[in-house]
Amino acid sequence: MRVKVWGARGSVPAPGPEMNRYGGNTSCCEVTLSSGETLILDAGTGIRTLGFSLPPDLPRINILLTHLHLDHIQGLMFFPPCFRAESSIRIWGPSSPEASLEARIARYISAPLSPVEVRELPCEVSFLDAPASEWQIGSATIRAEAVTHRGPTLGFRITDGDTTLCYIPDHEPGLGAALGELDPEWISGFNLACDADLLIHDCQYTDEEYPGHEGWGHSPIDDTITFARRVGAKRVLLFHHDPLHTDGFLDDLHRSAAARWVSLGGSEGAVEIAQERAEIVVEASGTGEETAPAPVSSTKVPAPANQVSV
Amino acid sequence: MSGSQKPLELILARNLLTSVTTPSLLVGRGGQLLFYNEAAGALLGRPFEDVGQMAPDEWTRAFGPFEDDGSPTPIEDLPLTDALREGRPAHGEFRIRFSDGAYHRIAASAMPIVGGGDGASGAMVIFWPVDDEKAREVTTGRHEVVR
């Protein structure tokens, strides 16, 4: 399985020279399965450039939406395959008792926010509620479960052969909970991420920033790393960067997170930070001593030195 | 992988109950006791950490409610059963056994918790003493947390 990051930013696109290295596009990852099939995780603004890179004769495109916040769907309307009659696109997302997935997405792809309506798209597009049980796309078995965020939000567990990727870009599992002490059954997202070879996870805030954003649906470094250690993830990709965080700031955030991981017994080099256009090969890393470590104590990590205030 | 991970709505309900100062408990779809908060532990005489999750017949035998002859009230007769089966709030008054070993009368309100699946995935029960002395202790915060 290969993952390519097309957008790692959270909340709102953040272009600018001080963001060039990590990029300013919002959430979007391309997953290439061993069967050759492509999955797209979220449709933030990163999906626009991804769309240009896809072969025009790709038979079918599957887009898995974790939720419908704008930073996860904003690129849909600018996704080139949407405007090709020969494209077949399936969009999977969280169900809601309030309205169908199509009706909820159409609130964005409709006037006055959009010059086109969903029904005007020339492609063949279908909107599907993510099933409650596992389902198959190409060589991947996919499982979706609700996770702690604001509004109906899913995380995805994607297993291809003996390799597992877990994608939870917007997640606040530590909200009102001591992640280091809880039994696994009471931790949001635990089963999704358990023993994942790569966990792509929300790490929007430093521990110092978090108290001002508690309940906003995102994680600070300490909760991200504690969660990753509790679930026994083999590698972690820090994701959903705050739009205020510059390249230098994210370098320091990455160092702090890596130090925290090692302090909890994790191996060096297993914590990475998402960078636009970066490609990651996900390989099975086996099980063993890294699996589901015992509860850990929670210690806050110092803020990166070059924190900006805006 | 943990096969028995709780649905998100129960995880969030438990998080909420830890901050509620009125005695409260959380039950699963089948009536099993999943959690009770510190205030409930103070009344019942044992913190949840010492008790853990319990099957319906276990926790009703331990804590009640009890009939006038001392036998546990069948779980089918509790408001939480209505909350779970019918997906609506329910309320009742019962006798349960407190940490002082004596039976006290309580009022209990049960509210269903509904998630993505069919029906209620659990219920939240808030209860409080209605006999005068105990009620005064709870409303004035004069109970001690048992550790």
mmCIF file of all heavy atoms in Angstrom, chain A residues 255-295:
data_model
loop_
_atom_site.group_PDB
_atom_site.id
_atom_site.type_symbol
_atom_site.label_atom_id
_atom_site.label_comp_id
_atom_site.label_asym_id
_atom_site.label_seq_id
_atom_site.Cartn_x
_atom_site.Cartn_y
_atom_site.Cartn_z
ATOM 1 N N ARG A 255 9.513 17.475 16.313
ATOM 2 C CA ARG A 255 10.570 17.051 17.262
ATOM 3 C C ARG A 255 9.973 16.755 18.639
ATOM 4 O O ARG A 255 10.324 15.767 19.290
ATOM 5 C CB ARG A 255 11.636 18.144 17.373
ATOM 6 C CG ARG A 255 12.736 18.030 16.318
ATOM 7 C CD ARG A 255 13.912 18.934 16.624
ATOM 8 N NE ARG A 255 13.593 20.331 16.389
ATOM 9 C CZ ARG A 255 13.723 20.934 15.203
ATOM 10 N NH1 ARG A 255 14.154 20.255 14.158
ATOM 11 N NH2 ARG A 255 13.407 22.203 15.068
ATOM 12 N N SER A 256 9.053 17.616 19.073
ATOM 13 C CA SER A 256 8.431 17.405 20.397
ATOM 14 C C SER A 256 7.646 16.094 20.428
ATOM 15 O O SER A 256 7.711 15.340 21.405
ATOM 16 C CB SER A 256 7.474 18.562 20.730
ATOM 17 O OG SER A 256 8.185 19.766 20.812
ATOM 18 N N ALA A 257 6.904 15.849 19.347
ATOM 19 C CA ALA A 257 6.091 14.623 19.291
ATOM 20 C C ALA A 257 6.989 13.383 19.265
ATOM 21 O O ALA A 257 6.712 12.386 19.947
ATOM 22 C CB ALA A 257 5.182 14.648 18.067
ATOM 23 N N ALA A 258 8.076 13.461 18.489
ATOM 24 C CA ALA A 258 8.989 12.311 18.399
ATOM 25 C C ALA A 258 9.635 12.044 19.753
ATOM 26 O O ALA A 258 9.805 10.882 20.155
ATOM 27 C CB ALA A 258 10.046 12.575 17.327
ATOM 28 N N ALA A 259 9.984 13.119 20.469
ATOM 29 C CA ALA A 259 10.600 12.956 21.791
ATOM 30 C C ALA A 259 9.608 12.318 22.759
ATOM 31 O O ALA A 259 9.960 11.441 23.564
ATOM 32 C CB ALA A 259 11.072 14.307 22.323
ATOM 33 N N ARG A 260 8.356 12.734 22.664
ATOM 34 C CA ARG A 260 7.333 12.175 23.547
ATOM 35 C C ARG A 260 7.142 10.677 23.263
ATOM 36 O O ARG A 260 6.998 9.872 24.178
ATOM 37 C CB ARG A 260 6.022 12.948 23.335
ATOM 38 C CG ARG A 260 4.854 12.416 24.137
ATOM 39 C CD ARG A 260 5.011 12.737 25.615
ATOM 40 N NE ARG A 260 3.900 12.246 26.397
ATOM 41 C CZ ARG A 260 4.028 11.568 27.536
ATOM 42 N NH1 ARG A 260 5.224 11.295 28.022
ATOM 43 N NH2 ARG A 260 2.970 11.169 28.199
ATOM 44 N N TRP A 261 7.127 10.343 21.989
ATOM 45 C CA TRP A 261 6.970 8.938 21.562
ATOM 46 C C TRP A 261 8.095 8.089 22.158
ATOM 47 O O TRP A 261 7.843 7.015 22.728
ATOM 48 C CB TRP A 261 7.007 8.899 20.036
ATOM 49 C CG TRP A 261 7.044 7.543 19.401
ATOM 50 C CD1 TRP A 261 8.156 6.848 19.038
ATOM 51 C CD2 TRP A 261 5.927 6.715 19.047
ATOM 52 N NE1 TRP A 261 7.796 5.652 18.463
ATOM 53 C CE2 TRP A 261 6.440 5.542 18.461
ATOM 54 C CE3 TRP A 261 4.547 6.867 19.157
ATOM 55 C CZ2 TRP A 261 5.628 4.514 17.981
ATOM 56 C CZ3 TRP A 261 3.735 5.837 18.683
ATOM 57 C CH2 TRP A 261 4.270 4.686 18.117
ATOM 58 N N VAL A 262 9.323 8.572 22.034
ATOM 59 C CA VAL A 262 10.468 7.812 22.545
ATOM 60 C C VAL A 262 10.390 7.717 24.069
ATOM 61 O O VAL A 262 10.678 6.669 24.653
ATOM 62 C CB VAL A 262 11.798 8.456 22.066
ATOM 63 C CG1 VAL A 262 12.984 7.823 22.768
ATOM 64 C CG2 VAL A 262 11.930 8.309 20.542
ATOM 65 N N SER A 263 9.941 8.809 24.703
ATOM 66 C CA SER A 263 9.849 8.781 26.176
ATOM 67 C C SER A 263 8.818 7.752 26.651
ATOM 68 O O SER A 263 8.868 7.304 27.788
ATOM 69 C CB SER A 263 9.499 10.170 26.725
ATOM 70 O OG SER A 263 8.120 10.440 26.548
ATOM 71 N N LEU A 264 7.889 7.407 25.770
ATOM 72 C CA LEU A 264 6.880 6.394 26.127
ATOM 73 C C LEU A 264 7.283 4.992 25.655
ATOM 74 O O LEU A 264 6.479 4.075 25.641
ATOM 75 C CB LEU A 264 5.514 6.761 25.525
ATOM 76 C CG LEU A 264 4.853 8.023 26.093
ATOM 77 C CD1 LEU A 264 3.524 8.295 25.396
ATOM 78 C CD2 LEU A 264 4.624 7.890 27.594
ATOM 79 N N GLY A 265 8.521 4.872 25.203
ATOM 80 C CA GLY A 265 9.021 3.554 24.845
ATOM 81 C C GLY A 265 8.937 3.228 23.368
ATOM 82 O O GLY A 265 9.252 2.105 22.964
ATOM 83 N N GLY A 266 8.518 4.192 22.549
ATOM 84 C CA GLY A 266 8.431 3.949 21.106
ATOM 85 C C GLY A 266 9.804 3.999 20.461
ATOM 86 O O GLY A 266 10.752 4.567 21.021
ATOM 87 N N SER A 267 9.895 3.395 19.276
ATOM 88 C CA SER A 267 11.200 3.352 18.617
ATOM 89 C C SER A 267 11.474 4.648 17.861
ATOM 90 O O SER A 267 10.560 5.314 17.378
ATOM 91 C CB SER A 267 11.262 2.148 17.674
ATOM 92 O OG SER A 267 10.173 2.195 16.785
ATOM 93 N N GLU A 268 12.755 4.994 17.753
ATOM 94 C CA GLU A 268 13.192 6.207 17.054
ATOM 95 C C GLU A 268 12.715 6.160 15.601
ATOM 96 O O GLU A 268 12.715 5.098 14.981
ATOM 97 C CB GLU A 268 14.722 6.289 17.038
ATOM 98 C CG GLU A 268 15.361 6.400 18.406
ATOM 99 C CD GLU A 268 15.559 7.847 18.834
ATOM 100 O OE1 GLU A 268 15.157 8.749 18.075
ATOM 101 O OE2 GLU A 268 16.087 8.055 19.949
ATOM 102 N N GLY A 269 12.332 7.290 15.073
ATOM 103 C CA GLY A 269 12.008 7.405 13.652
ATOM 104 C C GLY A 269 10.610 6.963 13.274
ATOM 105 O O GLY A 269 10.241 7.007 12.102
ATOM 106 N N ALA A 270 9.815 6.547 14.247
ATOM 107 C CA ALA A 270 8.477 6.036 13.916
ATOM 108 C C ALA A 270 7.431 7.146 13.820
ATOM 109 O O ALA A 270 6.327 6.912 13.343
ATOM 110 C CB ALA A 270 8.040 5.003 14.949
ATOM 111 N N VAL A 271 7.781 8.341 14.279
ATOM 112 C CA VAL A 271 6.832 9.453 14.199
ATOM 113 C C VAL A 271 7.249 10.369 13.056
ATOM 114 O O VAL A 271 8.364 10.897 13.047
ATOM 115 C CB VAL A 271 6.786 10.246 15.523
ATOM 116 C CG1 VAL A 271 5.881 11.472 15.385
ATOM 117 C CG2 VAL A 271 6.294 9.359 16.660
ATOM 118 N N GLU A 272 6.361 10.516 12.090
ATOM 119 C CA GLU A 272 6.640 11.387 10.951
ATOM 120 C C GLU A 272 5.586 12.473 10.896
ATOM 121 O O GLU A 272 4.565 12.395 11.591
ATOM 122 C CB GLU A 272 6.622 10.556 9.659
ATOM 123 C CG GLU A 272 7.703 9.472 9.655
ATOM 124 C CD GLU A 272 7.373 8.309 8.715
ATOM 125 O OE1 GLU A 272 7.482 8.484 7.503
ATOM 126 O OE2 GLU A 272 6.983 7.247 9.227
ATOM 127 N N ILE A 273 5.815 13.469 10.092
ATOM 128 C CA ILE A 273 4.833 14.550 9.983
ATOM 129 C C ILE A 273 4.455 14.723 8.519
ATOM 130 O O ILE A 273 5.317 14.667 7.637
ATOM 131 C CB ILE A 273 5.369 15.851 10.619
ATOM 132 C CG1 ILE A 273 4.296 16.938 10.617
ATOM 133 C CG2 ILE A 273 6.663 16.325 9.965
ATOM 134 C CD1 ILE A 273 4.601 18.103 11.552
ATOM 135 N N ALA A 274 3.174 14.891 8.284
ATOM 136 C CA ALA A 274 2.686 14.914 6.898
ATOM 137 C C ALA A 274 3.158 16.166 6.171
ATOM 138 O O ALA A 274 3.073 17.274 6.688
ATOM 139 C CB ALA A 274 1.165 14.847 6.893
ATOM 140 N N GLN A 275 3.622 15.922 4.979
ATOM 141 C CA GLN A 275 4.135 16.981 4.134
ATOM 142 C C GLN A 275 3.499 16.800 2.751
ATOM 143 O O GLN A 275 3.481 15.674 2.236
ATOM 144 C CB GLN A 275 5.659 16.823 4.039
ATOM 145 C CG GLN A 275 6.378 18.019 3.542
ATOM 146 C CD GLN A 275 7.880 17.923 3.852
ATOM 147 O OE1 GLN A 275 8.357 16.925 4.408
ATOM 148 N NE2 GLN A 275 8.620 18.944 3.481
ATOM 149 N N GLU A 276 2.990 17.856 2.193
ATOM 150 C CA GLU A 276 2.317 17.756 0.902
ATOM 151 C C GLU A 276 3.235 17.125 -0.136
ATOM 152 O O GLU A 276 4.399 17.487 -0.239
ATOM 153 C CB GLU A 276 1.904 19.166 0.457
ATOM 154 C CG GLU A 276 0.503 19.232 -0.080
ATOM 155 C CD GLU A 276 0.028 20.667 -0.245
ATOM 156 O OE1 GLU A 276 -0.376 21.256 0.771
ATOM 157 O OE2 GLU A 276 0.081 21.189 -1.374
ATOM 158 N N ARG A 277 2.706 16.210 -0.894
ATOM 159 C CA ARG A 277 3.384 15.464 -1.965
ATOM 160 C C ARG A 277 4.306 14.364 -1.443
ATOM 161 O O ARG A 277 4.930 13.671 -2.239
ATOM 162 C CB ARG A 277 4.181 16.370 -2.913
ATOM 163 C CG ARG A 277 3.422 17.557 -3.482
ATOM 164 C CD ARG A 277 2.251 17.115 -4.337
ATOM 165 N NE ARG A 277 1.456 18.258 -4.766
ATOM 166 C CZ ARG A 277 1.580 18.879 -5.935
ATOM 167 N NH1 ARG A 277 2.448 18.437 -6.808
ATOM 168 N NH2 ARG A 277 0.823 19.909 -6.234
ATOM 169 N N ALA A 278 4.418 14.222 -0.126
ATOM 170 C CA ALA A 278 5.256 13.130 0.395
ATOM 171 C C ALA A 278 4.585 11.800 0.102
ATOM 172 O O ALA A 278 3.354 11.691 0.150
ATOM 173 C CB ALA A 278 5.457 13.294 1.889
ATOM 174 N N GLU A 279 5.382 10.786 -0.211
ATOM 175 C CA GLU A 279 4.853 9.443 -0.473
ATOM 176 C C GLU A 279 5.394 8.488 0.584
ATOM 177 O O GLU A 279 6.572 8.536 0.920
ATOM 178 C CB GLU A 279 5.262 8.964 -1.861
ATOM 179 C CG GLU A 279 4.505 9.677 -2.962
ATOM 180 C CD GLU A 279 4.670 8.992 -4.301
ATOM 181 O OE1 GLU A 279 4.037 7.936 -4.506
ATOM 182 O OE2 GLU A 279 5.439 9.504 -5.118
ATOM 183 N N ILE A 280 4.536 7.665 1.070
ATOM 184 C CA ILE A 280 4.914 6.732 2.133
ATOM 185 C C ILE A 280 4.522 5.323 1.715
ATOM 186 O O ILE A 280 3.374 5.095 1.314
ATOM 187 C CB ILE A 280 4.189 7.090 3.452
ATOM 188 C CG1 ILE A 280 4.599 8.500 3.886
ATOM 189 C CG2 ILE A 280 4.494 6.086 4.545
ATOM 190 C CD1 ILE A 280 3.668 9.084 4.915
ATOM 191 N N VAL A 281 5.452 4.432 1.794
ATOM 192 C CA VAL A 281 5.134 3.024 1.541
ATOM 193 C C VAL A 281 4.761 2.405 2.888
ATOM 194 O O VAL A 281 5.518 2.508 3.854
ATOM 195 C CB VAL A 281 6.345 2.289 0.927
ATOM 196 C CG1 VAL A 281 6.025 0.812 0.746
ATOM 197 C CG2 VAL A 281 6.720 2.927 -0.402
ATOM 198 N N VAL A 282 3.573 1.828 2.936
ATOM 199 C CA VAL A 282 3.123 1.209 4.188
ATOM 200 C C VAL A 282 3.361 -0.290 4.085
ATOM 201 O O VAL A 282 2.857 -0.939 3.165
ATOM 202 C CB VAL A 282 1.616 1.472 4.439
ATOM 203 C CG1 VAL A 282 1.224 1.002 5.832
ATOM 204 C CG2 VAL A 282 1.294 2.944 4.251
ATOM 205 N N GLU A 283 4.158 -0.780 5.007
ATOM 206 C CA GLU A 283 4.479 -2.210 4.978
ATOM 207 C C GLU A 283 4.120 -2.846 6.302
ATOM 208 O O GLU A 283 4.160 -2.177 7.342
ATOM 209 C CB GLU A 283 5.988 -2.391 4.733
ATOM 210 C CG GLU A 283 6.401 -1.961 3.338
ATOM 211 C CD GLU A 283 7.904 -1.969 3.159
ATOM 212 O OE1 GLU A 283 8.600 -1.549 4.098
ATOM 213 O OE2 GLU A 283 8.360 -2.394 2.095
ATOM 214 N N ALA A 284 3.802 -4.112 6.233
ATOM 215 C CA ALA A 284 3.508 -4.827 7.475
ATOM 216 C C ALA A 284 4.766 -4.859 8.321
ATOM 217 O O ALA A 284 5.837 -5.198 7.832
ATOM 218 C CB ALA A 284 3.047 -6.242 7.159
ATOM 219 N N SER A 285 4.601 -4.459 9.583
ATOM 220 C CA SER A 285 5.787 -4.430 10.432
ATOM 221 C C SER A 285 5.720 -5.471 11.534
ATOM 222 O O SER A 285 6.458 -5.407 12.497
ATOM 223 C CB SER A 285 5.986 -3.045 11.014
ATOM 224 O OG SER A 285 4.760 -2.424 11.231
ATOM 225 N N GLY A 286 4.792 -6.419 11.387
ATOM 226 C CA GLY A 286 4.717 -7.489 12.368
ATOM 227 C C GLY A 286 4.108 -7.042 13.669
ATOM 228 O O GLY A 286 3.767 -5.882 13.847
ATOM 229 N N THR A 287 3.970 -7.981 14.571
ATOM 230 C CA THR A 287 3.434 -7.639 15.887
ATOM 231 C C THR A 287 4.520 -7.939 16.912
ATOM 232 O O THR A 287 5.660 -8.113 16.569
ATOM 233 C CB THR A 287 2.177 -8.468 16.190
ATOM 234 O OG1 THR A 287 2.494 -9.831 16.014
ATOM 235 C CG2 THR A 287 1.048 -8.080 15.264
ATOM 236 N N GLY A 288 4.162 -7.983 18.140
ATOM 237 C CA GLY A 288 5.158 -8.293 19.163
ATOM 238 C C GLY A 288 5.163 -7.255 20.240
ATOM 239 O O GLY A 288 4.114 -6.784 20.652
ATOM 240 N N GLU A 289 6.340 -6.842 20.658
ATOM 241 C CA GLU A 289 6.411 -6.000 21.848
ATOM 242 C C GLU A 289 5.774 -4.631 21.632
ATOM 243 O O GLU A 289 5.426 -3.959 22.596
ATOM 244 C CB GLU A 289 7.858 -5.834 22.280
ATOM 245 C CG GLU A 289 8.731 -5.187 21.225
ATOM 246 C CD GLU A 289 10.180 -5.098 21.670
ATOM 247 O OE1 GLU A 289 10.510 -5.724 22.676
ATOM 248 O OE2 GLU A 289 10.947 -4.397 20.992
ATOM 249 N N GLU A 290 5.634 -4.203 20.394
ATOM 250 C CA GLU A 290 5.046 -2.895 20.161
ATOM 251 C C GLU A 290 3.528 -2.911 20.287
ATOM 252 O O GLU A 290 2.888 -1.878 20.278
ATOM 253 C CB GLU A 290 5.408 -2.402 18.764
ATOM 254 C CG GLU A 290 6.863 -2.012 18.604
ATOM 255 C CD GLU A 290 7.155 -0.640 19.143
ATOM 256 O OE1 GLU A 290 6.252 0.198 19.134
ATOM 257 O OE2 GLU A 290 8.276 -0.409 19.610
ATOM 258 N N THR A 291 2.936 -4.104 20.379
ATOM 259 C CA THR A 291 1.485 -4.211 20.328
ATOM 260 C C THR A 291 0.830 -3.723 21.611
ATOM 261 O O THR A 291 1.207 -4.161 22.703
ATOM 262 C CB THR A 291 1.077 -5.673 20.073
ATOM 263 O OG1 THR A 291 1.676 -6.081 18.866
ATOM 264 C CG2 THR A 291 -0.430 -5.803 19.957
ATOM 265 N N ALA A 292 -0.152 -2.828 21.430
ATOM 266 C CA ALA A 292 -1.012 -2.357 22.513
ATOM 267 C C ALA A 292 -0.302 -2.260 23.856
ATOM 268 O O ALA A 292 -0.532 -3.047 24.759
ATOM 269 C CB ALA A 292 -2.230 -3.266 22.633
ATOM 270 N N PRO A 293 0.589 -1.283 24.016
ATOM 271 C CA PRO A 293 1.318 -1.156 25.261
ATOM 272 C C PRO A 293 0.393 -0.877 26.440
ATOM 273 O O PRO A 293 -0.731 -0.416 26.253
ATOM 274 C CB PRO A 293 2.255 0.029 25.029
ATOM 275 C CG PRO A 293 1.968 0.543 23.684
ATOM 276 C CD PRO A 293 0.875 -0.231 23.079
ATOM 277 N N ALA A 294 0.907 -1.119 27.613
ATOM 278 C CA ALA A 294 0.138 -0.878 28.830
ATOM 279 C C ALA A 294 -0.151 0.607 28.978
ATOM 280 O O ALA A 294 0.496 1.437 28.345
ATOM 281 C CB ALA A 294 0.944 -1.372 30.012
ATOM 282 N N PRO A 295 -1.144 0.949 29.809
ATOM 283 C CA PRO A 295 -1.433 2.356 30.036
ATOM 284 C C PRO A 295 -0.182 3.144 30.375
ATOM 285 O O PRO A 295 0.725 2.660 31.026
ATOM 286 C CB PRO A 295 -2.399 2.313 31.218
ATOM 287 C CG PRO A 295 -3.079 1.006 31.099
ATOM 288 C CD PRO A 295 -2.044 0.071 30.554
#
